[in-house]
Amino acid sequence: MSAFLTVLYGLVVYAFFLATFLYAIGFVGNVLVPKTIDSGPQGPLVQSLIVDVLLLGLFAVQHSVMARKGFKRWWTRIVPEPVERSTYVLAATAALALLLWQWQPIPEPIVWRVESAAVTQLLGIVFWFGWALLLLSTFLINHFELFGLRQVFSRLTGREIPAAQFRTPFVYRYVRHPIYLGFLLAFWAAPVMTAGHLLFSIATSGYILIGIWFEERDLVAQFGERYRAYRAQVGMLLPWRKAPE
């Protein structure tokens, strides 16, 4: 693949990701988009449960398998290394888009419904804060490398990407996984929690905890004692920082 086509591929994948990500915000929050987590055609309960669990499972398996270093070593024998990350983003976005498209709402029973206008507004603030925290955190660790653009432009310019350095910018000084924290805040800050939304929130929260275990194992292997010390001093999802001894 030529350098120009590599960049074009990366840009198209990023545009697909961005559109799907923005739709997902509306999907989870029941705002601004035509089909949300609680709207759309309803099927029989058992059918809806099976479909939704399969969609969530596909998303989790794709993320977990393709993110592992062993898979990446095998995968880059087939896919050129400059587009490996963009291809991962493409697969992840396709799995998410399928979930958003085929999700079957389960509107009942309603687990909770907040009646207080003040509490509803507070949950709305938490919801948007979660997405803002997530987005900010990606830029703190290099948003464009995370989504494959830095790699394809490096191919175009002929510049090598420096080896990863262990850094803890801004919020990473107080919480090890602010991206995941942002997801959790957004997924659970719901003034009306339907059975379908609860299924989504429980499944994604469980996946996040499993993902953190795998991710931290890789980070310890990559950065060794520096990451172990960081893990001992900074909270995983709840912001806190242990005072130096």
Side-chain angles (χ1 to χ4, degrees):
M1 185 183 291
S2 70
F4 173 76
L5 288 178
T6 296
V7 170
L8 182 61
Y9 175 73
L11 288 171
V12 170
V13 169
Y14 183 77
F16 178 39
F17 153 74
L18 187 60
T20 306
F21 174 75
L22 292 174
Y23 193 101
I25 295 175
F27 176 86
V28 174
N30 287 295
V31 293
L32 302 175
V33 296
K35 183 180 185 299
T36 71
I37 198 168
D38 293 322
S39 69
Q42 299 175 28
L45 176 60
V46 174
Q47 173 187 302
S48 297
L49 282 170
I50 292 173
V51 170
D52 293 347
V53 168
L54 287 174
L55 290 168
L56 289 162
L58 175 64
F59 182 80
V61 169
Q62 179 277 320
H63 269 66
S64 297
V65 172
M66 291 190 72
R68 303 281 66 80
K69 289 186 176 180
F71 181 88
K72 290 180 181 179
R73 284 193 294 269
W74 171 80
W75 187 232
T76 49
R77 297 175 187 172
I78 303 169
V79 175
E81 190 168 348
V83 298
E84 181 274 327
R85 186 65 188 181
S86 290
T87 304
Y88 171 83
V89 172
L90 175 61
T93 304
L96 176 58
L98 180 64
L99 186 151
L100 301 178
W101 175 36
Q102 291 296 319
W103 179 266
Q104 298 195 8
I106 308 174
E108 294 180 345
I110 293 176
V111 183
W112 71 68
R113 183 192 299 272
V114 174
E115 303 293 345
S116 167
V119 176
T120 298
Q121 289 180 344
L122 178 60
L123 288 172
I125 292 171
V126 172
F127 172 82
W128 290 109
F129 175 77
W131 292 112
L133 174 63
L134 185 163
L135 188 60
L136 170 65
S137 300
T138 67
F139 280 99
L140 290 174
I141 59 172
N142 199 324
H143 175 90
F144 298 110
E145 184 172 347
L146 186 64
F147 294 103
L149 288 180
R150 187 182 186 190
Q151 292 87 329
V152 296
F153 275 99
S154 292
R155 166 76 190 285
L156 182 66
T157 60
R159 296 178 181 176
E160 292 288 331
I161 296 178
Q165 300 293 320
F166 181 69
R167 301 182 301 113
T168 56
F170 193 30
V171 293
Y172 284 89
R173 298 174 187 171
Y174 306 99
V175 59
R176 300 199 305 273
H177 299 282
I179 293 176
Y180 292 139
L181 174 59
F183 275 124
L184 291 172
L185 293 174
F187 292 163
W188 286 97
V192 177
M193 180 62 77
T194 63
H197 195 148
L198 182 65
L199 170 65
F200 178 89
S201 297
I202 290 174
T204 51
S205 299
Y207 168 71
I208 283 171
L209 294 175
I210 294 170
I212 287 174
W213 186 86
F214 280 109
E215 186 174 316
E216 294 212 321
R217 185 187 65 175
D218 292 344
L219 289 167
V220 168
Q222 184 175 7
F223 296 112
E225 198 56 42
R226 292 190 65 190
Y227 193 83
R228 289 191 182 93
Y230 174 65
R231 187 170 58 182
Q233 294 171 354
V234 177
M236 181 174 73
L237 291 169
L238 297 178
W240 65 269
R241 186 176 178 88
K242 182 180 179 182
E245 296 181 358

